[in-house]
Amino acid sequence: MTQHGDGSSCLLRAENVCKTYQLGETTVQALQNIDLEVREGEFLALAGSSGSGKTTLLNLFGCLDRPTSGRIFVAGTDVAELDSDALASFRAATIGFIFQTFNLFPVLSARENVEYPMLLNKTPAAERENRAKEALERVGLARFLDHRPDQLSGGQRQRVAIARALVKRPKIIFADEPTANLDKKTAIEVLTLMRELNTSEKVTFVFSTHDSMILSLASRIFHMSDGRQVPAPEAPHAH
Ligand SMILES: Nc1ncnc2c1ncn2[C@@H]1O[C@H](COP(=O)(O)OP(=O)(O)O)[C@@H](O)[C@H]1O
Ligand SMILES: [Mg+2]
């Protein structure tokens, strides 16, 4: 892992990353020459309007897809060097993911949803149960362990998804527009919770948004437009 002068280490790196999608005859340039380093402990926002490449970049960092060219390093590993089995276990051990639409199993309770990733890595039942309970308590849902998603509000569902990402104790959590389906007040509560976890659990977060109010909670902002990094847009003049 790269050490910086200030002692913090580089947890993620994109080196000259390009991604194209082929749609019949048309080639879509989703990412062009992206260079980005994320240090441990950051709470980084990817900002840009719809179509700017935020989801594509998060999917590459999250090892859900591979770049067309360039390299992606996660926790010091060049992920192109892992075959699909190695990549799956690396991803399970290192990375948590939170989605805009929560992606919870509708028939499972909050606790069962949070237990699910531990079921995949064969954690014993008693430990699974305890850790799920602990994670749900950590996000303020101690009283909702047995509720199914349809018995929870949008904000509560996203808290379940946060607990599910957290329960694996990942180094990094990626969140793709985690507040896009929430009202303003709930959006800020959810982001504030993520920020608290960033500090208390020492988990690095990279999240995407196009909401300027949410952006103000980031420790750093990476602005994107048309698949490229762009400078911060000028702040509107105060009167
Ligand atoms: N699976 C895909 N196939 C073809 N084009 C895609 C695909 N996913 C994304 N794109 C295109 O890539 C560009 C970036 O998309 P995306 O990463 O989803 O942006 P954002 O998340 O910022 O809205 C857009 O032009 C989008 O239409
Ligand atoms: Mg997107």
Side-chain angles (χ1 to χ4, degrees):
M1 218 178 282
T2 318
Q3 289 292 322
H4 288 254
D6 61 4
S8 63
S9 49
C10 175
L11 187 55
L12 288 177
R13 189 157 87 237
E15 265 182 25
N16 200 19
V17 163
C18 298
K19 177 72 183 180
T20 57
Y21 294 107
Q22 199 63 40
L23 276 179
E25 301 281 281
T26 342
T27 305
V28 181
Q29 283 265 17
L31 292 177
Q32 302 187 51
N33 311 102
I34 294 289
D35 284 304
L36 172 60
E37 280 195 9
V38 182
R39 288 185 305 281
E40 242 177 278
E42 284 202 81
F43 194 68
L44 177 79
L46 306 180
S49 55
S50 177
S52 58
K54 304 181 299 296
T55 296
T56 303
L57 185 54
L58 284 173
N59 287 348
L60 296 180
F61 273 138
C63 308
L64 302 171
D65 200 357
R66 292 178 188 271
T68 308
S69 64
R71 300 211 291 175
I72 300 277
F73 294 85
V74 179
T77 299
D78 179 348
V79 295
E81 285 170 7
L82 304 178
D83 64 24
S84 59
D85 281 353
L87 193 64
S89 48
F90 177 76
R91 195 168 56 214
T94 314
I95 294 169
F97 230 105
I98 296 168
F99 301 90
Q100 176 177 340
T101 49
F102 322 133
N103 289 20
L104 301 174
F105 291 110
V107 297
L108 299 184
S109 69
R111 189 173 49 72
E112 289 163 340
N113 266 287
V114 176
E115 278 190 39
Y116 187 74
M118 295 184 284
L119 205 63
L120 295 181
N121 73 11
K122 302 190 175 65
T123 307
E127 187 186 339
R128 267 200 327 257
E129 222 171 286
N130 282 335
R131 279 174 57 181
K133 205 164 151 258
E134 222 174 71
L136 283 162
E137 281 166 6
R138 187 65 194 81
V139 300
L141 292 179
R143 293 190 300 114
F144 298 91
L145 303 180
D146 298 320
H147 286 56
R148 283 193 321 268
D150 65 357
Q151 300 168 318
L152 297 169
S153 69
Q156 289 171 331
R157 287 181 206 181
Q158 197 57 305
R159 284 167 191 267
V160 175
I162 293 171
R164 180 182 56 187
L166 201 65
V167 82
K168 304 192 300 182
R169 301 182 183 129
K171 281 183 185 301
I172 183 149
I173 294 180
F174 298 106
D176 194 9
E177 307 228 20
T179 62
N181 285 319
L182 304 175
D183 63 70
K184 281 248 178 278
K185 178 169 168 282
T186 310
I188 289 177
E189 284 169 6
V190 163
L191 241 291
T192 304
L193 170 66
M194 282 167 48
R195 185 66 157 132
E196 280 168 23
L197 296 169
N198 164 246
T199 311
S200 66
E201 315 294 313
K202 309 212 184 322
V203 190
T204 304
F205 277 82
V206 179
F207 63 97
S208 66
T209 184
H210 52 251
D211 180 340
S212 55
M213 200 165 53
I214 293 299
L215 281 180
S216 64
L217 295 164
S219 67
R220 181 161 69 100
I221 305 174
F222 186 80
H223 292 276
M224 299 175 71
S225 175
D226 283 335
R228 298 174 187 276
Q229 180 182 14
V230 293
E234 262 181 59
H237 290 292
H239 290 286

